[in-house]
Amino acid sequence: MYENFYKLSEKPFSIQPDPSFLFMGREHTLAYRMLEYGVINRAGFVVVTGEIGCGKTTLLRKLLDNLDEDVLVGLINSTHQDVHELLQWVLYAFELDYKGKTRLELYETFQNFLIEEYARGRRCILIIDEAQNMATDTLEELRMLSNINADKDMLIQLILVGQPELRALLNRPELYQLVQRVSVDYHLKPLTSLDTARYIHHRLEVVGRNDPLFTPEACDLVHRATGGVPRLINILCDTALVYAYADERPMVDKETVLYVFQDMAEFESLHFNQLRETISGIVREHAHLLGESG
């Protein structure tokens, strides 16, 4: 729709995780280096947390794209409370037969698989996304899986990725032994105001726009409304481009973003429900500009 008008090769602000759009600001660079460090140094447990929409899944995609061929990865995208069900999904993640087996048989199948891969010179990594939804006994079962080793070598590395609630879960006394095995721990924070502007310009450059399209004032308002959360930035910037295109504006300026905020506040946007108070406050603060423009 607006792509041709602004000379863009595709939509720059899709909410789908795409490593080709990944903005490596300070936070995401540190988070990725910590993940990379954990893999290279064969850390038993790696924990990465962050708010919803901060880019954790995109970082995982980048990590998967850059792993060596001798690394075998099992990825679980949805978490499971039941221990027996977890073992089934672990086997499924590594493309192993899991149907009709008891818990003991599931464990033996996985143990034999790890030993065989180790003998072939391959490393196995299990990545669990949205790990904050797991029960404590299921997390404890993961710790038990990490006990499978050969001499001094661990046969399985585990990467837990989740929302901030995961940190609170891991701090429970019954998971003390698991936490002792966490070698790498990083919390991914939202973007700063400066990095929000850089993030917006970066995504536009990826789709062929080298000249600025969002004014500095518009970028500042986007940051204030979203708190620097990339997914919310994407949703807001995409909407602002639609508004600017409808008015045939050459750039997304402060007034364009304010009109988006005004409509979001009035029609109770589902995406920004938790930020409605912030957006409404910004609209009230700039009511005189909206009146003049209208």
Side-chain angles (χ1 to χ4, degrees):
M1 190 165 100
Y2 57 68
E3 293 95 312
N4 290 336
F5 185 78
Y6 292 114
K7 296 180 173 58
L8 310 174
S9 60
E10 60 180 296
K11 290 180 64 174
F13 298 106
S14 170
I15 62 173
Q16 298 301 319
D18 186 344
S20 67
F21 279 93
L22 183 60
F23 170 69
M24 296 301 285
R26 181 179 183 276
E27 278 296 314
H28 288 77
T29 297
L30 281 172
Y32 183 75
R33 293 307 177 204
M34 294 296 277
L35 281 168
E36 192 175 47
Y37 173 84
V39 171
I40 292 174
N41 288 277
R42 304 184 179 225
F45 277 86
V46 174
V47 176
V48 175
T49 57
E51 297 289 346
I52 298 173
C54 274
K56 303 182 296 298
T57 301
T58 308
L59 280 174
L60 285 180
R61 294 283 181 86
K62 178 179 174 64
L63 179 69
L64 293 174
D65 287 345
N66 291 311
L67 289 175
D68 293 334
E69 292 183 359
D70 65 344
V71 178
L72 187 62
V73 176
L75 177 61
I76 299 178
N77 287 308
S78 55
T79 50
H80 308 278
Q81 297 275 347
D82 182 77
V83 171
H84 186 268
E85 186 179 77
L86 172 70
L87 285 169
Q88 291 178 327
W89 277 95
V90 169
L91 266 62
Y92 177 78
F94 285 103
E95 299 182 353
L96 302 172
D97 180 31
Y98 64 91
K99 296 180 180 179
K101 294 186 177 183
T102 65
R103 181 182 170 186
L104 177 59
E105 289 170 334
L106 291 169
Y107 185 85
E108 288 181 341
T109 298
F110 187 55
Q111 179 177 253
N112 292 336
F113 163 74
L114 293 180
I115 293 172
E116 289 170 3
E117 291 303 317
Y118 177 76
R120 294 171 181 162
R122 302 183 69 182
R123 292 193 290 138
C124 296
I125 299 177
L126 177 64
I127 300 175
I128 300 182
D129 204 0
E130 300 298 338
Q132 75 280 349
N133 296 322
M134 302 181 77
T136 54
D137 58 344
T138 309
L139 283 167
E140 177 61 15
E141 182 70 15
L142 284 178
R143 184 185 70 82
M144 298 301 292
L145 290 180
S146 72
N147 286 335
I148 304 174
N149 54 59
D151 297 324
K152 295 182 179 180
D153 294 330
M154 295 183 62
L155 301 189
I156 182 72
Q157 288 181 260
L158 295 109
I159 298 177
L160 305 181
V161 181
Q163 297 169 29
E165 293 82 358
L166 175 60
R167 307 184 77 80
L169 179 61
L170 292 173
N171 279 324
R172 292 183 180 179
E174 56 266 41
L175 292 175
Y176 178 70
Q177 292 186 68
L178 186 155
V179 172
Q180 284 187 316
R181 299 190 182 186
V182 174
S183 303
V184 177
D185 173 22
Y186 192 80
H187 181 71
L188 181 62
K189 295 186 286 293
L191 302 177
T192 63
S193 178
L194 179 60
D195 271 348
T196 294
R198 290 173 174 170
Y199 173 87
I200 292 170
H201 296 319
H202 165 76
R203 294 191 70 103
L204 288 166
E205 287 177 353
V206 172
V207 297
R209 175 84 183 205
N210 294 315
D211 295 328
L213 184 51
F214 283 69
T215 66
E217 295 80 9
C219 292
D220 181 62
L221 286 176
V222 169
H223 176 75
R224 287 181 59 187
T226 63
V229 176
R231 186 180 300 167
L232 296 179
I233 294 172
N234 288 354
I235 295 169
L236 182 50
C237 286
D238 184 61
T239 305
L241 280 171
V242 175
Y243 275 56
Y245 168 73
D247 291 337
E248 296 187 352
R249 296 185 180 227
M251 295 188 70
V252 177
D253 54 19
K254 182 177 182 178
E255 287 74 18
T256 302
V257 177
L258 285 173
Y259 275 118
V260 174
F261 289 173
Q262 187 178 50
D263 286 348
M264 283 182 166
E266 181 179 351
F267 297 108
E268 301 185 347
S269 168
L270 295 175
H271 289 300
F272 288 84
N273 183 52
Q274 72 275 29
L275 302 176
R276 186 171 298 122
E277 185 175 342
T278 300
I279 290 175
S280 297
I282 294 173
V283 170
R284 288 193 297 271
E285 179 184 335
H286 296 86
H288 61 290
L289 291 178
L290 290 167
E292 291 170 3
S293 298

